[in-house]
Amino acid sequence: MALALHSNGMINLSVTPHQPVLSECDDDPSPHKRLNLTRIIIGYTRKFACSNSTSALNYYYILHGVHNEDGEDMFTVCIGELIQESKEYQTLLGTLDSSGRKTKGAIDRFNVNHSQIISTVAEASEKRGCWEEAVTLYELAHNYDKVLEILNEELSRKLMPNDKAHEHINEIAVSVESRTLNANTSLRKQFLLLLDSLQVPQTVS
């Protein structure tokens, strides 16, 4: 019922997503109440979001255009949290084929700025320290400057003695190297120098 009323513009939403399900605004006439649709949808989808992420995505799209206190679109925020919990970013956002072209994910069903959303989710992954996930997501958004920026930092750390945390980075670096030809020149130059320092075989470009 609430979703139908919202789609027809017949209910007023809470000022912020963190308010109670029903709240009052000082400017509203009594006994007028505002509905926290964000809290309702997140609470409802919590029980199946990880097991049926594409269905949860349909509900989250209802929140497109609803913003939190920081001005962030709640559709994008929910996608980021869903990916963090389910790790199904390929199903939701798509993946790259062997030629580097993006294949469609569940998000492509919606009329939104896909690259912007993917970049926002990638930035959130980067802030959490999930650099492998961030590299994959930035590449989906074709932001190869950020891909190289992260890889350069992680490759530099691998040069440190007794580093055990980057065992897979050689494979990741080699897999993206041929697709970074149009990235920032200085970032790519540093990237190739690091690969050479680590004696990582490079593709012929």
Side-chain angles (χ1 to χ4, degrees), residues 125-157:
S125 296
E126 183 183 1
K127 288 179 179 179
R128 294 196 308 271
C130 303
W131 68 266
E132 292 185 42
E133 185 176 287
V135 165
T136 299
L137 293 170
Y138 278 126
E139 190 173 16
L140 276 179
H142 297 289
N143 188 343
Y144 284 98
D145 286 355
K146 284 297 299 183
V147 168
L148 290 183
E149 183 181 313
I150 294 172
L151 287 176
N152 287 347
E153 182 178 349
E154 300 304 325
L155 285 167
S156 298
R157 291 180 181 177

Side-chain angles (χ1 to χ4, degrees), residues 1-3 11 37 40 46 56-57 61 81 85 92 95 112 130-132 138 144 157 161 165 167 181 183 195 199 204:
M1 176 66 76
L3 301 183
I11 59 174
L37 191 63
I40 291 173
R46 184 173 290 119
L57 195 65
Y61 183 66
E81 293 177 352
E85 294 176 7
L92 296 171
T95 186
V112 293
C130 303
W131 68 266
E132 292 185 42
Y138 278 126
Y144 284 98
R157 291 180 181 177
E167 295 179 355
L181 295 174
L195 291 181
Q199 298 182 334
V204 177

